[in-house]
Short mmCIF file of all heavy atoms in Angstrom, two decimals:
data_model
loop_
_atom_site.label_atom_id
_atom_site.label_comp_id
_atom_site.label_asym_id
_atom_site.label_seq_id
_atom_site.Cartn_x
_atom_site.Cartn_y
_atom_site.Cartn_z
N TYR A 81 0.81 -1.23 0.00
CA TYR A 81 0.00 0.00 0.00
C TYR A 81 0.84 1.28 0.00
O TYR A 81 0.36 2.33 -0.41
CB TYR A 81 -0.99 0.06 1.18
CG TYR A 81 -1.83 -1.19 1.32
CD1 TYR A 81 -1.86 -1.91 2.50
CD2 TYR A 81 -2.60 -1.65 0.25
CE1 TYR A 81 -2.62 -3.07 2.63
CE2 TYR A 81 -3.36 -2.81 0.37
CZ TYR A 81 -3.36 -3.51 1.55
OH TYR A 81 -4.12 -4.66 1.68
N SER A 82 2.09 1.21 0.47
CA SER A 82 2.96 2.38 0.41
C SER A 82 3.81 2.38 -0.86
O SER A 82 4.42 3.39 -1.20
CB SER A 82 3.90 2.42 1.63
OG SER A 82 3.16 2.65 2.81
N ARG A 83 3.86 1.24 -1.53
CA ARG A 83 4.67 1.13 -2.75
C ARG A 83 3.99 1.81 -3.93
O ARG A 83 2.77 1.79 -4.05
CB ARG A 83 4.93 -0.34 -3.09
CG ARG A 83 5.79 -1.06 -2.07
CD ARG A 83 6.28 -2.38 -2.62
NE ARG A 83 7.11 -3.07 -1.63
CZ ARG A 83 7.97 -4.04 -1.93
NH1 ARG A 83 8.11 -4.43 -3.19
NH2 ARG A 83 8.68 -4.62 -0.99
N PHE A 84 4.80 2.38 -4.80
CA PHE A 84 4.25 3.05 -5.98
C PHE A 84 3.53 2.06 -6.90
O PHE A 84 2.62 2.46 -7.63
CB PHE A 84 5.36 3.77 -6.75
CG PHE A 84 6.03 4.86 -5.95
CD1 PHE A 84 7.41 5.00 -5.96
CD2 PHE A 84 5.28 5.74 -5.18
CE1 PHE A 84 8.03 6.00 -5.23
CE2 PHE A 84 5.89 6.75 -4.45
CZ PHE A 84 7.28 6.88 -4.47
N THR A 85 3.94 0.81 -6.88
CA THR A 85 3.26 -0.20 -7.71
C THR A 85 1.83 -0.45 -7.24
O THR A 85 1.04 -1.03 -7.98
CB THR A 85 4.04 -1.53 -7.69
OG1 THR A 85 4.27 -1.92 -6.33
CG2 THR A 85 5.37 -1.39 -8.41
N ASP A 86 1.50 0.01 -6.04
CA ASP A 86 0.15 -0.14 -5.51
C ASP A 86 -0.71 1.09 -5.81
O ASP A 86 -1.88 1.13 -5.46
CB ASP A 86 0.19 -0.39 -4.00
CG ASP A 86 -1.14 -0.88 -3.45
OD1 ASP A 86 -1.50 -2.02 -3.74
OD2 ASP A 86 -1.81 -0.08 -2.75
N PHE A 87 -0.10 2.10 -6.46
CA PHE A 87 -0.84 3.33 -6.77
C PHE A 87 -1.64 3.10 -8.06
O PHE A 87 -1.04 3.02 -9.14
CB PHE A 87 0.12 4.50 -6.95
CG PHE A 87 0.67 5.07 -5.66
CD1 PHE A 87 0.68 4.32 -4.50
CD2 PHE A 87 1.18 6.35 -5.62
CE1 PHE A 87 1.19 4.83 -3.31
CE2 PHE A 87 1.69 6.89 -4.44
CZ PHE A 87 1.69 6.12 -3.28
N PRO A 88 -2.95 3.02 -7.99
CA PRO A 88 -3.78 2.65 -9.15
C PRO A 88 -4.12 3.84 -10.04
O PRO A 88 -5.29 4.19 -10.24
CB PRO A 88 -5.03 2.07 -8.49
CG PRO A 88 -5.18 2.89 -7.24
CD PRO A 88 -3.78 3.21 -6.77
N ILE A 89 -3.11 4.48 -10.58
CA ILE A 89 -3.34 5.70 -11.35
C ILE A 89 -3.61 5.38 -12.82
O ILE A 89 -2.78 4.77 -13.49
CB ILE A 89 -2.12 6.65 -11.25
CG1 ILE A 89 -1.86 7.04 -9.79
CG2 ILE A 89 -2.36 7.90 -12.09
CD1 ILE A 89 -0.59 7.83 -9.59
N SER A 90 -4.77 5.78 -13.30
CA SER A 90 -5.11 5.70 -14.71
C SER A 90 -6.31 6.60 -14.95
O SER A 90 -7.12 6.83 -14.03
CB SER A 90 -5.43 4.27 -15.14
OG SER A 90 -6.71 3.87 -14.68
N LEU A 91 -6.44 7.11 -16.15
CA LEU A 91 -7.57 7.99 -16.47
C LEU A 91 -8.90 7.27 -16.31
O LEU A 91 -9.89 7.85 -15.84
CB LEU A 91 -7.43 8.53 -17.90
CG LEU A 91 -6.31 9.56 -18.12
CD1 LEU A 91 -6.21 9.92 -19.60
CD2 LEU A 91 -6.54 10.81 -17.28
N ARG A 92 -8.92 6.00 -16.69
CA ARG A 92 -10.16 5.22 -16.59
C ARG A 92 -10.60 5.10 -15.13
O ARG A 92 -11.79 5.28 -14.81
CB ARG A 92 -9.95 3.84 -17.20
CG ARG A 92 -11.17 2.91 -17.10
CD ARG A 92 -10.86 1.55 -17.69
NE ARG A 92 -9.75 0.90 -17.01
CZ ARG A 92 -9.87 0.23 -15.86
NH1 ARG A 92 -11.04 0.17 -15.23
NH2 ARG A 92 -8.81 -0.34 -15.31
N ARG A 93 -9.65 4.79 -14.27
CA ARG A 93 -9.98 4.62 -12.85
C ARG A 93 -10.36 5.94 -12.20
O ARG A 93 -11.26 6.00 -11.35
CB ARG A 93 -8.81 3.98 -12.12
CG ARG A 93 -8.61 2.50 -12.46
CD ARG A 93 -7.30 2.01 -11.92
NE ARG A 93 -7.15 0.57 -12.10
CZ ARG A 93 -6.01 -0.08 -11.96
NH1 ARG A 93 -4.90 0.59 -11.65
NH2 ARG A 93 -5.95 -1.40 -12.13
N ILE A 94 -9.67 7.02 -12.58
CA ILE A 94 -10.00 8.33 -12.03
C ILE A 94 -11.41 8.74 -12.44
O ILE A 94 -12.19 9.24 -11.63
CB ILE A 94 -8.96 9.38 -12.48
CG1 ILE A 94 -7.61 9.11 -11.80
CG2 ILE A 94 -9.45 10.80 -12.17
CD1 ILE A 94 -6.49 9.99 -12.29
N LYS A 95 -11.73 8.53 -13.71
CA LYS A 95 -13.07 8.86 -14.21
C LYS A 95 -14.13 8.06 -13.47
O LYS A 95 -15.18 8.61 -13.06
CB LYS A 95 -13.14 8.57 -15.71
CG LYS A 95 -14.50 8.90 -16.32
CD LYS A 95 -14.52 8.60 -17.81
CE LYS A 95 -15.90 8.88 -18.41
NZ LYS A 95 -15.94 8.57 -19.86
N ALA A 96 -13.88 6.77 -13.27
CA ALA A 96 -14.84 5.91 -12.57
C ALA A 96 -15.04 6.38 -11.13
O ALA A 96 -16.17 6.40 -10.61
CB ALA A 96 -14.37 4.46 -12.59
N LEU A 97 -13.95 6.79 -10.48
CA LEU A 97 -14.03 7.26 -9.10
C LEU A 97 -14.84 8.56 -9.01
O LEU A 97 -15.66 8.72 -8.10
CB LEU A 97 -12.62 7.48 -8.55
CG LEU A 97 -12.53 8.00 -7.11
CD1 LEU A 97 -13.05 6.95 -6.13
CD2 LEU A 97 -11.10 8.38 -6.76
N VAL A 98 -14.62 9.46 -9.95
CA VAL A 98 -15.34 10.74 -9.94
C VAL A 98 -16.83 10.52 -10.18
O VAL A 98 -17.68 11.16 -9.54
CB VAL A 98 -14.76 11.68 -11.03
CG1 VAL A 98 -15.64 12.93 -11.18
CG2 VAL A 98 -13.34 12.09 -10.66
N LEU A 99 -17.17 9.59 -11.07
CA LEU A 99 -18.57 9.36 -11.42
C LEU A 99 -19.32 8.55 -10.37
O LEU A 99 -20.53 8.73 -10.17
CB LEU A 99 -18.66 8.64 -12.78
CG LEU A 99 -18.19 9.45 -13.99
CD1 LEU A 99 -18.24 8.59 -15.23
CD2 LEU A 99 -19.03 10.70 -14.16
N ASN A 100 -18.60 7.67 -9.67
CA ASN A 100 -19.25 6.81 -8.68
C ASN A 100 -18.34 6.63 -7.47
O ASN A 100 -17.82 5.54 -7.22
CB ASN A 100 -19.58 5.46 -9.31
CG ASN A 100 -20.44 4.59 -8.40
OD1 ASN A 100 -20.97 5.06 -7.38
ND2 ASN A 100 -20.57 3.32 -8.74
N PRO A 101 -18.11 7.71 -6.69
CA PRO A 101 -17.13 7.66 -5.61
C PRO A 101 -17.45 6.65 -4.51
O PRO A 101 -16.54 6.02 -3.97
CB PRO A 101 -17.14 9.10 -5.06
CG PRO A 101 -18.45 9.67 -5.49
CD PRO A 101 -18.76 9.03 -6.80
N LYS A 102 -18.70 6.48 -4.18
CA LYS A 102 -19.06 5.59 -3.07
C LYS A 102 -18.66 4.14 -3.35
O LYS A 102 -18.05 3.48 -2.50
CB LYS A 102 -20.57 5.67 -2.79
CG LYS A 102 -20.99 4.87 -1.55
CD LYS A 102 -22.44 5.10 -1.23
CE LYS A 102 -22.87 4.34 0.02
NZ LYS A 102 -22.17 4.79 1.23
N GLU A 103 -18.97 3.64 -4.53
CA GLU A 103 -18.66 2.25 -4.87
C GLU A 103 -17.20 2.07 -5.23
O GLU A 103 -16.57 1.08 -4.85
CB GLU A 103 -19.56 1.79 -6.03
CG GLU A 103 -21.03 1.73 -5.68
CD GLU A 103 -21.32 0.81 -4.50
OE1 GLU A 103 -20.67 -0.26 -4.42
OE2 GLU A 103 -22.17 1.16 -3.66
N GLU A 104 -16.63 3.02 -5.99
CA GLU A 104 -15.26 2.87 -6.46
C GLU A 104 -14.26 2.93 -5.31
O GLU A 104 -13.25 2.23 -5.31
CB GLU A 104 -14.94 3.95 -7.50
CG GLU A 104 -15.64 3.75 -8.82
CD GLU A 104 -15.17 2.50 -9.54
OE1 GLU A 104 -13.96 2.24 -9.57
OE2 GLU A 104 -16.04 1.78 -10.07
N GLU A 105 -14.52 3.79 -4.33
CA GLU A 105 -13.62 3.93 -3.18
C GLU A 105 -13.39 2.60 -2.48
O GLU A 105 -12.30 2.30 -2.01
CB GLU A 105 -14.19 4.95 -2.20
CG GLU A 105 -13.41 5.11 -0.90
CD GLU A 105 -12.22 6.04 -1.02
OE1 GLU A 105 -12.24 6.91 -1.89
OE2 GLU A 105 -11.28 5.87 -0.23
N ARG A 106 -14.43 1.78 -2.44
CA ARG A 106 -14.37 0.51 -1.72
C ARG A 106 -13.48 -0.52 -2.41
O ARG A 106 -13.16 -1.55 -1.83
CB ARG A 106 -15.78 -0.06 -1.56
CG ARG A 106 -16.67 0.81 -0.68
CD ARG A 106 -18.10 0.30 -0.67
NE ARG A 106 -18.96 1.12 0.17
CZ ARG A 106 -20.27 0.95 0.27
NH1 ARG A 106 -20.87 -0.01 -0.43
NH2 ARG A 106 -20.99 1.74 1.06
N LYS A 107 -13.09 -0.26 -3.64
CA LYS A 107 -12.23 -1.19 -4.38
C LYS A 107 -10.76 -1.09 -3.97
O LYS A 107 -9.97 -1.97 -4.29
CB LYS A 107 -12.34 -0.94 -5.89
CG LYS A 107 -13.71 -1.21 -6.48
CD LYS A 107 -13.69 -0.93 -7.97
CE LYS A 107 -15.05 -1.19 -8.61
NZ LYS A 107 -15.02 -0.90 -10.07
N TYR A 108 -10.41 -0.01 -3.28
CA TYR A 108 -8.99 0.27 -3.02
C TYR A 108 -8.70 0.26 -1.53
O TYR A 108 -9.20 1.10 -0.78
CB TYR A 108 -8.61 1.62 -3.62
CG TYR A 108 -8.94 1.71 -5.10
CD1 TYR A 108 -10.07 2.41 -5.54
CD2 TYR A 108 -8.15 1.05 -6.04
CE1 TYR A 108 -10.38 2.48 -6.90
CE2 TYR A 108 -8.46 1.11 -7.39
CZ TYR A 108 -9.57 1.82 -7.81
OH TYR A 108 -9.88 1.87 -9.15
N THR A 109 -7.86 -0.67 -1.13
CA THR A 109 -7.49 -0.74 0.28
C THR A 109 -6.52 0.38 0.64
O THR A 109 -6.62 1.00 1.70
CB THR A 109 -6.83 -2.10 0.60
OG1 THR A 109 -7.68 -3.14 0.14
CG2 THR A 109 -6.59 -2.26 2.09
N GLY A 110 -5.59 0.66 -0.26
CA GLY A 110 -4.64 1.75 -0.05
C GLY A 110 -5.18 3.05 -0.62
O GLY A 110 -6.32 3.43 -0.38
N HIS A 111 -4.35 3.72 -1.41
CA HIS A 111 -4.79 4.97 -2.05
C HIS A 111 -5.78 4.69 -3.18
O HIS A 111 -5.60 3.74 -3.93
CB HIS A 111 -3.59 5.70 -2.64
CG HIS A 111 -2.60 6.20 -1.64
ND1 HIS A 111 -2.90 7.19 -0.73
CD2 HIS A 111 -1.32 5.86 -1.40
CE1 HIS A 111 -1.85 7.43 0.02
NE2 HIS A 111 -0.87 6.64 -0.36
N ASN A 112 -6.79 5.53 -3.29
CA ASN A 112 -7.63 5.46 -4.49
C ASN A 112 -6.88 6.19 -5.61
O ASN A 112 -5.84 6.83 -5.36
CB ASN A 112 -9.02 6.05 -4.22
CG ASN A 112 -9.02 7.54 -3.97
OD1 ASN A 112 -8.39 8.31 -4.68
ND2 ASN A 112 -9.73 7.98 -2.93
N PRO A 113 -7.35 6.12 -6.86
CA PRO A 113 -6.59 6.71 -7.98
C PRO A 113 -6.27 8.20 -7.83
O PRO A 113 -5.14 8.62 -8.11
CB PRO A 113 -7.51 6.45 -9.17
CG PRO A 113 -8.27 5.23 -8.80
CD PRO A 113 -8.51 5.35 -7.33
#
């Protein structure tokens, strides 16, 4: 969770998080996108 390889950064994931924050947030134990 502190490693950069655990950082789920992508435009698709960011867009999904913005559109549906409640459900998408629950997918990420560490940082969200």
Side-chain angles (χ1 to χ4, degrees):
Y81 309 124
S82 293
R83 294 194 181 200
F84 298 137
T85 52
D86 193 71
F87 283 22
I89 300 173
S90 75
L91 289 176
R92 177 182 60 81
R93 288 169 173 166
I94 290 174
K95 181 180 178 181
L97 179 67
V98 171
L99 294 176
N100 188 11
K102 186 174 182 64
E103 294 302 321
E104 289 294 317
E105 175 83 25
R106 295 174 180 175
K107 295 180 180 180
Y108 305 103
T109 308
H111 294 294
N112 68 46

